[in-house]
Amino acid sequence: MKNSETSAINLPVQLAIKSWTGQVNAINELLKKLSDDDLKKEIAPGKNTGYYLLGHLAAVHDAMLPLLGFGSKQHPGLEKIFISSPDHSGLEFPPLAEIRKIWNDVNETLLKHFNELTTEGWLERHTAVSEADFATQPHRNKLNVLFSRTNHMSYHAGQLVLLKHS
Amino acid sequence: MKNSETSAINLPVQLAIKSWTGQVNAINELLKKLSDDDLKKEIAPGKNTGYYLLGHLAAVHDAMLPLLGFGSKQHPGLEKIFISSPDHSGLEFPPLAEIRKIWNDVNETLLKHFNELTTEGWLERHTAVSEADFATQPHRNKLNVLFSRTNHMSYHAGQLVLLKHS
C-alpha cells in the first residue's frame, strides 16, 4: 500500500481497494482447492453450481469495465449466460478452464485501472447515472460501485466455500 | 446521508458506512422471511445452521464495540458459543428470539457510534493493534475493521439466503 501522504489516493480509498483485493485473493485461494468437478456441484441441493457462480462473478466484474469508464467489456458474451439467465438455463457455458482464466484476467485489468484512479476520480459518477441525477445524488460514484461489488464477491464467496471438502 | 462538505465525515467514509448499513438491512429483510424453524436448518447438508450463523454475526458485531473503542461488549457470553466454538458444539444456544433482538440492538448501538466518529477517528488505530505497530501499519485502523466486518456480513448473508423458500 502506498503511503497516503505521497499518494493521489487517500487512505480511505486505499483501504477500499485493499478490501476488494482481499476478497479477490480469498476467492483465488479457494479456487485452488476446488477442482472442476467440485465446481460443477451445486452449493446446496437445488441451488446454483460453483460453475455458474464463477461465471457470474467473472461476468459482473467484466461489466465493471464500462460501468467505471475503463473501457468496453472484454467478454460481452458472458452477460447473457451468467447474469440475464439463471443456472441450468440450457445455455452452453464456456469451458471452466476458460472461465477461470477470464476471472483472473478481468481482475488483473480492473486492479490496474483502480490503481491509476485518483480519489477525485473515484468520487466521479459511474456511467449508469446521469449528470443530472448525480448532481443531487453524489454517492452514486465509482467508489460506491467498488463497495457494492466487493460485498457481492463476499456474498458468493460464502457460497463457493460450501463446495470445499471438509 | 449528510452532505460531505458540511460533515466531519468525508464522502469515502460516509459511503463505507452506507455499505455497512446496506448489508445490515439486507440481512434484516431476509430475517423477516425466515421463520425460527427455517433458521434451525442447515444452510447445506452438514454445514452451519442459520441459528448458529445469526448468533455468530451477533457475537462478532458485539465484539466490535471494544475493538472500535466504543465500550464493553453487551453480550460477552456469545463469544464462547458462537465464535470460539463451532456449530453443534453441545453448548446451549440462547433462544432465537433473543438472538434476533441482540442482533438488532447491537447494530443500532454500532450505528449510533459510527455516526459520531469523525474521519480522523475512523483512521485511528483499533484496539487490537499496538501504538508501535500502528506507526508502521496505518491501515490497521477502525475503517479497516468496518470494511472487514461488512464483507463478513455479506459472506454469511450469501449463506443465510440458502434457507429461503424458493
Side-chain angles (χ1 to χ4, degrees), chain A residues 4 7-16 118-120 123 143, chain B residues 10 12 119:
Chain A
S4 64
S7 169
I9 309 180
N10 73 9
L11 190 53
V13 176
Q14 286 181 46
L15 291 173
T118 61
T119 300
E120 290 66 35
L123 298 179
L143 186 61
Chain B
N10 73 10
T119 300

PDB file of all heavy atoms in Angstrom, chain A residues 4 7-16 118-120 123 143, chain B residues 10 12 119:
ATOM      1  N   SER A   4      -0.225   7.263   2.324  1.00  0.00           N
ATOM      2  CA  SER A   4      -1.337   8.141   1.961  1.00  0.00           C
ATOM      3  C   SER A   4      -0.867   9.579   1.719  1.00  0.00           C
ATOM      4  O   SER A   4      -1.496  10.321   0.982  1.00  0.00           O
ATOM      5  CB  SER A   4      -2.396   8.113   3.059  1.00  0.00           C
ATOM      6  OG  SER A   4      -1.865   8.629   4.241  1.00  0.00           O
ATOM      7  N   SER A   7       0.492   9.754  -1.920  1.00  0.00           N
ATOM      8  CA  SER A   7      -0.331   9.165  -2.968  1.00  0.00           C
ATOM      9  C   SER A   7      -1.467  10.101  -3.340  1.00  0.00           C
ATOM     10  O   SER A   7      -1.960  10.869  -2.530  1.00  0.00           O
ATOM     11  CB  SER A   7      -0.902   7.844  -2.461  1.00  0.00           C
ATOM     12  OG  SER A   7      -1.885   7.376  -3.336  1.00  0.00           O
ATOM     13  N   ALA A   8      -1.900   9.996  -4.611  1.00  0.00           N
ATOM     14  CA  ALA A   8      -3.064  10.763  -5.039  1.00  0.00           C
ATOM     15  C   ALA A   8      -4.350  10.105  -4.549  1.00  0.00           C
ATOM     16  O   ALA A   8      -5.427  10.656  -4.707  1.00  0.00           O
ATOM     17  CB  ALA A   8      -3.085  10.880  -6.553  1.00  0.00           C
ATOM     18  N   ILE A   9      -4.220   8.907  -3.997  1.00  0.00           N
ATOM     19  CA  ILE A   9      -5.391   8.201  -3.468  1.00  0.00           C
ATOM     20  C   ILE A   9      -5.348   8.300  -1.956  1.00  0.00           C
ATOM     21  O   ILE A   9      -4.374   7.903  -1.334  1.00  0.00           O
ATOM     22  CB  ILE A   9      -5.366   6.717  -3.886  1.00  0.00           C
ATOM     23  CG1 ILE A   9      -5.161   6.582  -5.398  1.00  0.00           C
ATOM     24  CG2 ILE A   9      -6.633   6.027  -3.453  1.00  0.00           C
ATOM     25  CD1 ILE A   9      -5.138   5.147  -5.876  1.00  0.00           C
ATOM     26  N   ASN A  10      -6.396   8.816  -1.347  1.00  0.00           N
ATOM     27  CA  ASN A  10      -6.355   8.976   0.102  1.00  0.00           C
ATOM     28  C   ASN A  10      -6.578   7.641   0.818  1.00  0.00           C
ATOM     29  O   ASN A  10      -6.986   6.651   0.208  1.00  0.00           O
ATOM     30  CB  ASN A  10      -7.289  10.083   0.580  1.00  0.00           C
ATOM     31  CG  ASN A  10      -8.755   9.704   0.519  1.00  0.00           C
ATOM     32  OD1 ASN A  10      -9.113   8.551   0.280  1.00  0.00           O
ATOM     33  ND2 ASN A  10      -9.602  10.679   0.756  1.00  0.00           N
ATOM     34  N   LEU A  11      -6.278   7.645   2.100  1.00  0.00           N
ATOM     35  CA  LEU A  11      -6.255   6.388   2.848  1.00  0.00           C
ATOM     36  C   LEU A  11      -7.595   5.632   2.808  1.00  0.00           C
ATOM     37  O   LEU A  11      -7.584   4.420   2.573  1.00  0.00           O
ATOM     38  CB  LEU A  11      -5.776   6.645   4.290  1.00  0.00           C
ATOM     39  CG  LEU A  11      -5.463   5.411   5.137  1.00  0.00           C
ATOM     40  CD1 LEU A  11      -4.488   4.462   4.454  1.00  0.00           C
ATOM     41  CD2 LEU A  11      -4.906   5.823   6.499  1.00  0.00           C
ATOM     42  N   PRO A  12      -8.741   6.290   3.018  1.00  0.00           N
ATOM     43  CA  PRO A  12      -9.993   5.526   2.928  1.00  0.00           C
ATOM     44  C   PRO A  12     -10.160   4.805   1.590  1.00  0.00           C
ATOM     45  O   PRO A  12     -10.595   3.652   1.552  1.00  0.00           O
ATOM     46  CB  PRO A  12     -11.073   6.602   3.128  1.00  0.00           C
ATOM     47  CG  PRO A  12     -10.415   7.630   3.978  1.00  0.00           C
ATOM     48  CD  PRO A  12      -8.990   7.670   3.494  1.00  0.00           C
ATOM     49  N   VAL A  13      -9.790   5.462   0.503  1.00  0.00           N
ATOM     50  CA  VAL A  13      -9.935   4.826  -0.814  1.00  0.00           C
ATOM     51  C   VAL A  13      -8.915   3.698  -0.965  1.00  0.00           C
ATOM     52  O   VAL A  13      -9.228   2.625  -1.505  1.00  0.00           O
ATOM     53  CB  VAL A  13      -9.809   5.866  -1.945  1.00  0.00           C
ATOM     54  CG1 VAL A  13      -9.860   5.188  -3.306  1.00  0.00           C
ATOM     55  CG2 VAL A  13     -10.930   6.909  -1.839  1.00  0.00           C
ATOM     56  N   GLN A  14      -7.703   3.915  -0.491  1.00  0.00           N
ATOM     57  CA  GLN A  14      -6.705   2.827  -0.499  1.00  0.00           C
ATOM     58  C   GLN A  14      -7.229   1.599   0.239  1.00  0.00           C
ATOM     59  O   GLN A  14      -7.060   0.465  -0.212  1.00  0.00           O
ATOM     60  CB  GLN A  14      -5.408   3.278   0.199  1.00  0.00           C
ATOM     61  CG  GLN A  14      -4.548   4.235  -0.594  1.00  0.00           C
ATOM     62  CD  GLN A  14      -3.275   4.585   0.179  1.00  0.00           C
ATOM     63  OE1 GLN A  14      -2.607   3.710   0.723  1.00  0.00           O
ATOM     64  NE2 GLN A  14      -2.953   5.860   0.244  1.00  0.00           N
ATOM     65  N   LEU A  15      -7.872   1.839   1.374  1.00  0.00           N
ATOM     66  CA  LEU A  15      -8.397   0.721   2.170  1.00  0.00           C
ATOM     67  C   LEU A  15      -9.545   0.018   1.446  1.00  0.00           C
ATOM     68  O   LEU A  15      -9.692  -1.196   1.555  1.00  0.00           O
ATOM     69  CB  LEU A  15      -8.877   1.219   3.540  1.00  0.00           C
ATOM     70  CG  LEU A  15      -7.776   1.687   4.483  1.00  0.00           C
ATOM     71  CD1 LEU A  15      -8.385   2.318   5.728  1.00  0.00           C
ATOM     72  CD2 LEU A  15      -6.863   0.532   4.883  1.00  0.00           C
ATOM     73  N   ALA A  16     -10.333   0.792   0.716  1.00  0.00           N
ATOM     74  CA  ALA A  16     -11.433   0.193  -0.046  1.00  0.00           C
ATOM     75  C   ALA A  16     -10.865  -0.730  -1.135  1.00  0.00           C
ATOM     76  O   ALA A  16     -11.391  -1.823  -1.366  1.00  0.00           O
ATOM     77  CB  ALA A  16     -12.302   1.283  -0.659  1.00  0.00           C
ATOM     78  N   THR A 118      -7.463   8.532  -9.261  1.00  0.00           N
ATOM     79  CA  THR A 118      -7.234   9.368  -8.074  1.00  0.00           C
ATOM     80  C   THR A 118      -8.475   9.338  -7.177  1.00  0.00           C
ATOM     81  O   THR A 118      -9.534   8.857  -7.584  1.00  0.00           O
ATOM     82  CB  THR A 118      -7.006  10.832  -8.487  1.00  0.00           C
ATOM     83  OG1 THR A 118      -8.187  11.287  -9.156  1.00  0.00           O
ATOM     84  CG2 THR A 118      -5.807  10.969  -9.426  1.00  0.00           C
ATOM     85  N   THR A 119      -8.346   9.888  -5.990  1.00  0.00           N
ATOM     86  CA  THR A 119      -9.512   9.977  -5.099  1.00  0.00           C
ATOM     87  C   THR A 119     -10.640  10.733  -5.791  1.00  0.00           C
ATOM     88  O   THR A 119     -11.805  10.316  -5.729  1.00  0.00           O
ATOM     89  CB  THR A 119      -9.134  10.702  -3.788  1.00  0.00           C
ATOM     90  OG1 THR A 119      -8.097   9.969  -3.155  1.00  0.00           O
ATOM     91  CG2 THR A 119     -10.323  10.792  -2.850  1.00  0.00           C
ATOM     92  N   GLU A 120     -10.297  11.814  -6.455  1.00  0.00           N
ATOM     93  CA  GLU A 120     -11.324  12.594  -7.168  1.00  0.00           C
ATOM     94  C   GLU A 120     -11.997  11.731  -8.237  1.00  0.00           C
ATOM     95  O   GLU A 120     -13.202  11.793  -8.440  1.00  0.00           O
ATOM     96  CB  GLU A 120     -10.698  13.840  -7.812  1.00  0.00           C
ATOM     97  CG  GLU A 120     -10.252  14.910  -6.815  1.00  0.00           C
ATOM     98  CD  GLU A 120      -9.096  14.460  -5.926  1.00  0.00           C
ATOM     99  OE1 GLU A 120      -8.213  13.704  -6.416  1.00  0.00           O
ATOM    100  OE2 GLU A 120      -9.092  14.829  -4.742  1.00  0.00           O
ATOM    101  N   LEU A 123     -14.556   9.494  -6.893  1.00  0.00           N
ATOM    102  CA  LEU A 123     -15.778  10.161  -6.453  1.00  0.00           C
ATOM    103  C   LEU A 123     -16.588  10.730  -7.616  1.00  0.00           C
ATOM    104  O   LEU A 123     -17.621  11.367  -7.421  1.00  0.00           O
ATOM    105  CB  LEU A 123     -15.446  11.252  -5.421  1.00  0.00           C
ATOM    106  CG  LEU A 123     -14.800  10.698  -4.140  1.00  0.00           C
ATOM    107  CD1 LEU A 123     -14.471  11.818  -3.167  1.00  0.00           C
ATOM    108  CD2 LEU A 123     -15.694   9.652  -3.475  1.00  0.00           C
ATOM    109  N   LEU A 143     -16.624   4.860  -6.417  1.00  0.00           N
ATOM    110  CA  LEU A 143     -16.249   4.205  -5.160  1.00  0.00           C
ATOM    111  C   LEU A 143     -17.406   3.362  -4.622  1.00  0.00           C
ATOM    112  O   LEU A 143     -17.198   2.270  -4.082  1.00  0.00           O
ATOM    113  CB  LEU A 143     -15.843   5.267  -4.126  1.00  0.00           C
ATOM    114  CG  LEU A 143     -15.299   4.731  -2.802  1.00  0.00           C
ATOM    115  CD1 LEU A 143     -14.036   3.907  -3.005  1.00  0.00           C
ATOM    116  CD2 LEU A 143     -15.025   5.888  -1.831  1.00  0.00           C
TER     117      LEU A 143
ATOM    118  N   ASN B  10     -15.845  12.410   5.794  1.00  0.00           N
ATOM    119  CA  ASN B  10     -15.734  12.654   4.360  1.00  0.00           C
ATOM    120  C   ASN B  10     -16.495  11.618   3.550  1.00  0.00           C
ATOM    121  O   ASN B  10     -16.931  10.591   4.074  1.00  0.00           O
ATOM    122  CB  ASN B  10     -14.265  12.813   3.932  1.00  0.00           C
ATOM    123  CG  ASN B  10     -13.496  11.504   3.926  1.00  0.00           C
ATOM    124  OD1 ASN B  10     -14.067  10.430   4.065  1.00  0.00           O
ATOM    125  ND2 ASN B  10     -12.202  11.605   3.744  1.00  0.00           N
ATOM    126  N   PRO B  12     -15.842   9.281   1.196  1.00  0.00           N
ATOM    127  CA  PRO B  12     -15.494   7.847   1.195  1.00  0.00           C
ATOM    128  C   PRO B  12     -15.915   7.137   2.482  1.00  0.00           C
ATOM    129  O   PRO B  12     -16.424   6.006   2.434  1.00  0.00           O
ATOM    130  CB  PRO B  12     -13.966   7.866   1.037  1.00  0.00           C
ATOM    131  CG  PRO B  12     -13.681   9.115   0.281  1.00  0.00           C
ATOM    132  CD  PRO B  12     -14.677  10.120   0.812  1.00  0.00           C
ATOM    133  N   THR B 119     -13.857  11.490  10.431  1.00  0.00           N
ATOM    134  CA  THR B 119     -12.945  10.790   9.520  1.00  0.00           C
ATOM    135  C   THR B 119     -11.630  10.479  10.233  1.00  0.00           C
ATOM    136  O   THR B 119     -11.097   9.378  10.121  1.00  0.00           O
ATOM    137  CB  THR B 119     -12.656  11.659   8.270  1.00  0.00           C
ATOM    138  OG1 THR B 119     -13.891  11.911   7.622  1.00  0.00           O
ATOM    139  CG2 THR B 119     -11.721  10.944   7.320  1.00  0.00           C
TER     140      THR B 119
END
